[in-house]
Amino acid sequence: MSRLELQDVRVHFGGVKAVDGVSFAVEPGQLVGMVGPNGSGKSTTVNAVTRTADLTSGRITFDGEDVSTVRPHVLRRKGLVRTFQGIRLIPELSVRDNVRLAAEQDGSRRRWRVGRGEKLPSDTACDAALERLDLLDVRDEAPSALPYGTQRRVEIARALATGPRLLLLDEPVAGMNRAEREEIAAVLTDLNSDGLSMLVIEHDLRLLLALSDHLVVLNFGRLLAQGEPAATAALPEVRQAYLGSAA
Amino acid sequence: MTEFLAANAPLLRSISVLTLLGYSVHVALRAGVFSFATVGFYAVGGYLTANLLEGGLHRYLVLLAVLALTGVLAVLVTPVLTRLRYLYLAMATLALTLFVQSLAQSWPTYTGGAQGLFGIPRVLLQGEMFTLVIGVVVLVWLTQRSAAGRSIAALRHDEVLSASVGVDVRATQARAFVASAVIAGTAGFVQTSSFGVFGPTDISFGVVVSCLTVLVVGGALHWVGPLLGGVLVAALPVYLSAAGSWNLILQAVVVLVVVVYRPDGLAGFFSWVWRRARRRTPPTSAPTPTAAATEGATR
């Protein structure tokens, strides 16, 4: 059973076919990369999966269960979590509270369920995520006081703190310098080696070729190609669409 | 102290009512709901209190009845309100208040119609009134520091993000709206059981404006804002009464100064003063090497 499966998914906004008949799957433990030029429907596909955009038609299943019509907050409780293309941190909360916010949305915040002096499960998950993304030093800072790359790491930590079974990352290294990209790539590899399934949207094809087990290429809202990353990236139609040249 | 409390009893009652009304709007606003329904639920609380006290019911049971009725009414309307957003949501809450106002006019047996209700037993003790206000302030403060407070903050800033991390947007807004209604009902209880009167002037559009003024002056989103706003808005007319006909103009000037120079209200101003004072205060003693090493190890 696939962790995530999209079957003939269409998202139309009036006459605009943002996503038009896309089908692919993410298997358990797999890291799937998704590439495509600007406007090719990558983010809309993720929005459809996370119910931020309504499906026009098609079906999306998560661990075999149809999630095409469930409300967004239910998806997180099932283990399907995303990050966004733009940074979306809550400015009035500290770094730790931004991460804790996500960790405590499963009912574990109820203090009477844990003994005196014991740490809440949500706090444990939050601190583990902060540690994994090397954010313990800045946990009490306001997000706005942090460099861009660190804010990106906070977003990933927030997603991780939910204990996801599938992580959808929308351009996780956008705007980062090379060192920061390598750092995030190492984190993603590490998470994937722990068995976490991931769908990563990224413009950095080199990064995806290094990380992913499977590559999905979109163009004009349609599935252009998918398969083994290096072979898929080498296809003439992919090079034409992505690089503007088949050479 | 006792003399001060006795001499200023009417002012303290006004402060309590305005503070509770301010918290009613504040609680909904923090969850992204701009609610004018506060005055409607205030009316429900006020008229219910008047009728039950005249019927001889004990004030504690009256308060329980007010909390229950305003809570149930709010639960009944939330399925409609949580489907609306922005201006449409605000207009729906205003419509709710207008509905209650017209119902009050057309149901004179229980509301006194255009005259209102007079001679209601003034049974609420000053200590009980302060307990209610302080209880609401403490509850709001504790909530904002809790998981619920973080969810509410996230919801107000970014609904899409909060849903993606697991916040049930509709349920959270519904809970905030019910809490807002219950606090407004409590304000109606305090008004009626302490002043002994409740009528159309208590639920006029002027009261809606007063609620908003309390928030703007005190600080709309700070937990202590409605308390500071309630004190200032209730006290200004009293202490500026010596200005005679200039009273209203001076009040307007004070409000304008706060709005223009401190959009985050008095709470924002005091926070700013507090932060500056802390920055200027030198450390009492230099940290010992041991303490510094411990701190470094824990970071």
Side-chain angles (χ1 to χ4, degrees), chain B residues 51-114:
Chain B
N51 284 281
L52 294 181
L53 284 180
E54 285 188 333
L57 205 62
H58 190 277
R59 59 186 180 279
Y60 294 166
L61 294 176
V62 174
L63 177 61
L64 283 178
V66 166
L67 298 179
L69 182 65
T70 48
V72 167
L73 287 175
V75 167
L76 290 176
V77 296
T78 46
V80 177
L81 294 183
T82 52
R83 289 177 184 278
L84 301 173
R85 290 288 175 274
Y86 315 119
L87 191 59
Y88 305 98
L89 176 55
M91 290 305 290
T93 60
L94 183 60
L96 199 70
T97 287
L98 293 173
F99 174 73
V100 174
Q101 283 174 342
S102 59
L103 199 68
Q105 292 279 351
S106 56
W107 211 4
T109 314
Y110 297 102
T111 64

Side-chain angles (χ1 to χ4, degrees), chain A residues 2-3 30 90 106 112 134 142 161 178 184 206 209 222 230:
Chain A
S2 300
R3 178 115 306 160
Q30 201 177 33
I90 308 301
D106 59 355
W112 55 83
D134 196 20
R178 178 179 285 187
I184 293 296
R206 190 179 298 172
L209 288 176
R222 300 186 68 87

Side-chain angles (χ1 to χ4, degrees), chain A residues 71 77 88 92 104-105, chain B residues 150-151 156 158 166 168:
Chain A
R71 290 171 59 199
R77 294 175 191 187
R88 295 172 95 149
E92 71 182 68
E104 63 199 1
Q105 298 301 328
Chain B
R150 287 185 283 277
S151 299
R156 188 178 68 258
D158 192 334
D168 186 341

